[in-house]
Amino acid sequence: MKIRDQAAIVTGGASGMGAQTARALAGAGAMVAILDRDPGAASRLAAEIGGFAVVCDVASEDSVSQALATARERHGPARICVNCAGIAPGKRIVGRNGPMPSADFQRAVMVNLVGTFHVLAHAAHDMTALEPDPETAERGVVINTASIAAFEGQIGQSAYAASKGGIVGLTLPAARELASSAIRVVTIAPGLMATPMMDALPVEVREGMGAQVPFPNRLGQPDEFASLVLHVVGNPLLNGTVIRLDGALRMPPR
Ligand SMILES: NC(=O)c1ccc[n+]([C@@H]2O[C@H](COP(=O)([O-])OP(=O)(O)OC[C@H]3O[C@@H](n4cnc5c(N)ncnc54)[C@H](O)[C@@H]3O)[C@@H](O)[C@H]2O)c1
């Protein structure tokens, strides 16, 4: 599907891979709505790229529904929806102070998995009202962000890995169901990427992580994620699949 003049939504679009995706989509001519819980960063990026910032907490279905309605009023229903909003809490199942509080596990699943589902369901519903694209017969594409932790979660990543594994499991049945509406669903599973999510770690830890990547022997860059998003949008045969973007990294247990 061509990108120029299409309405696009990027959740988590105020930072990291989402921000770079919003820039890339706007650069390719899309009308971009940045949905993020951080209003300041979302507004700054919207001003930079000529996009539109909408405050949204993806864990709340009401918030997603309202944010999509606001974006729709501005740009029309989106044909391109990229789910990047996510959190990466780390905690052991059995820690020094006892079992992991259920609320911690549930928070990761609510934001990463249920949040992705909220946006997928509401954006796909909006897409069903669109006419098929004259060139590709598509109504739209939804691109989710999992993680290689879905496949090789490390010690301390149980909640995060479970939430991302849920996104992997969601991808094929969503693509199969939405195929009848000509809507594609693809998930990208990044490896270790240099984003503000990583900036929380000390430099030596980040360098050590980059050194684990077989080739290229470094952390991934947000624009490498964004360029894959543009390719997925443009390639109608990509559907119902999970694409690893990881430089052949397979995470060890710790
Ligand atoms: N950085 C990595 O190494 C890495 C690796 C694999 C997967 N991922 C995934 O990629 C995605 C983007 O990560 P990033 O590294 O760019 O992170 P980031 O922290 O730079 O950006 C995440 C964005 O999501 C927003 N967000 C968080 N919770 C939200 C909520 N409830 N509602 C709306 N917005 C919310 C934040 O405000 C932020 O703008 C995440 O889903 C993350 O789990 C990251």
Side-chain angles (χ1 to χ4, degrees):
M1 186 164 53
K2 74 173 179 60
I3 294 173
R4 181 155 300 283
D5 299 330
Q6 305 286 15
I9 284 162
V10 184
T11 76
S15 174
M17 289 185 273
Q20 204 55 28
T21 299
R23 285 190 188 96
L25 287 167
M31 301 177 286
V32 181
I34 298 159
L35 272 57
D36 203 288
R37 67 175 177 189
D38 180 342
S43 301
R44 283 191 295 278
L45 183 63
E48 175 194 320
I49 66 172
F52 182 51
V54 190
V55 181
C56 176
D57 176 1
V58 296
S60 156
E61 186 173 18
D62 283 349
S63 176
V64 168
S65 168
Q66 281 169 27
L68 287 183
T70 307
R72 197 166 57 233
E73 277 164 28
R74 179 78 166 231
H75 293 151
R79 272 191 203 277
I80 300 166
C81 173
V82 187
N83 272 305
C84 285
I87 53 173
K91 197 170 262 187
R92 287 177 178 245
I93 298 167
V94 180
R96 282 199 195 89
N97 300 320
M100 183 196 302
S102 174
D104 290 353
F105 190 87
Q106 289 183 39
R107 181 74 191 144
V109 172
M110 276 310 291
V111 174
N112 293 348
L113 175 57
V114 182
T116 296
F117 170 75
H118 288 152
V119 178
L120 164 72
H122 284 260
H125 179 258
D126 280 358
M127 287 174 192
T128 58
L130 289 165
E131 287 300 319
D133 181 85
E135 279 170 32
T136 62
E138 293 169 272
R139 286 202 170 77
V141 57
V142 181
I143 300 171
N144 304 314
T145 308
S147 163
I148 61 169
F151 309 105
E152 300 115 36
Q154 296 187 293
I155 290 167
Q157 282 193 314
S158 57
Y160 182 69
S163 70
K164 296 298 190 177
I167 296 173
V168 168
L170 176 63
T171 304
L172 182 59
R176 285 174 160 169
E177 178 186 328
L178 296 170
S180 57
S181 300
I183 297 166
R184 291 185 290 128
V185 183
V186 172
T187 292
I188 300 173
L192 298 172
M193 309 295 285
T195 71
M197 198 176 254
M198 284 279 181
D199 290 348
L201 300 169
V203 178
E204 57 276 16
V205 173
R206 274 184 277 149
E207 283 174 358
M209 290 174 127
Q212 297 171 33
V213 183
F215 187 85
N217 189 221
R218 57 167 173 77
L219 298 178
Q221 293 299 321
D223 62 345
E224 292 168 327
F225 177 90
S227 80
L228 180 55
V229 168
L230 296 199
H231 181 80
V232 172
V233 174
N235 190 332
L237 203 57
L238 281 170
N239 193 14
T241 196
V242 179
I243 304 169
R244 293 183 69 125
L245 184 70
D246 63 8
L249 177 65
R250 301 294 179 269
M251 300 276 273
R254 64 179 85 228

